[in-house]
Amino acid sequence: MSEPNIVLTRIDNRLVHGQVGVVWTSSIGANLLLVANDDTANDPLQQELMEATAESSGVGIRFWTIEKTINNIHRASARQKIFIIVRTPEDARKLIEGGVPIDNLNIGNMHFSEGKRQITKQAYMDDKDISDLKVCAAKGASVYVQEVPEDKKQPLEEVI
């Protein structure tokens, strides 16, 4: 089995929306969006909304559980330029610990919720989020905040 061509992995609570499905996808040259999230993999309504965004960008889209992603990512064709989108740092950590070769982990939108503090303009995290991100970095992923492609990358260690 060959290494899958994962061009970017992004944490975004909103998963696939205009910014991810259009701006990021075209900027990185992806031709397949892979939403790796257990809840979304089992939610046809969420999938339908995200499929419309992918279709408007002319790219394929898949909705897989974390486990299915771990078990199947290495079967990807070399011509697939895969953009993985996860909802949480925990999802990203599980993928990396499961052997998914994630080199670049982009932190996008992480909404405020109880117990989370503002880290950047668009990212709110609690101690578990930070711990999960540190594990990803320790396992070799370049972890950084970058809201849109034009923004400068802010390495994790500069924002936490």
Side-chain angles (χ1 to χ4, degrees), residues 72-138:
N72 291 286
I73 195 75
H74 291 281
R75 295 181 183 167
S77 162
R79 69 181 176 275
Q80 291 176 309
K81 295 177 185 152
I82 305 167
F83 182 10
I84 298 177
I85 303 99
V86 297
R87 183 166 274 149
T88 65
E90 180 180 20
D91 285 346
R93 177 186 53 79
K94 286 178 178 177
L95 290 176
I96 289 171
E97 288 179 339
V100 176
I102 293 173
D103 295 327
N104 294 292
L105 181 57
N106 169 275
I107 302 167
N109 272 38
M110 293 178 61
H111 296 144
F112 174 79
S113 63
E114 192 65 38
K116 297 194 185 250
R117 60 192 180 278
Q118 189 169 14
I119 303 296
T120 69
K121 189 175 133 191
Q122 303 291 336
Y124 293 80
M125 299 179 198
D126 58 21
D127 291 341
K128 182 178 182 329
D129 292 330
I130 292 169
S131 173
D132 286 335
L133 291 169
K134 285 181 176 179
V135 168
C136 293

Side-chain angles (χ1 to χ4, degrees), residues 10 19-20 22-28 83 106 146-149:
R10 179 175 168 96
Q19 188 182 80
V20 165
V22 178
V23 177
W24 275 104
T25 300
S26 63
S27 169
I28 62 175
F83 182 10
N106 169 275
Q146 188 179 23
E147 182 61 21
V148 293

Side-chain angles (χ1 to χ4, degrees), residues 13-75:
N13 291 148
R14 302 168 296 174
L15 297 172
V16 176
H17 50 91
Q19 188 182 80
V20 165
V22 178
V23 177
W24 275 104
T25 300
S26 63
S27 169
I28 62 175
N31 59 19
L32 178 66
L33 304 178
L34 173 54
V35 177
N37 177 266
D38 293 346
D39 293 336
T40 307
N42 296 300
D43 186 334
L45 179 57
Q46 274 192 47
Q47 291 177 22
E48 191 175 319
L49 296 170
M50 289 183 237
E51 282 170 346
T53 300
E55 192 174 298
S56 72
S57 292
V59 298
I61 190 166
R62 305 282 182 278
F63 303 95
W64 289 357
T65 62
I66 298 297
E67 184 177 352
K68 183 173 182 178
T69 304
I70 290 167
N71 292 338
N72 291 286
I73 195 75
H74 291 281
R75 295 181 183 167

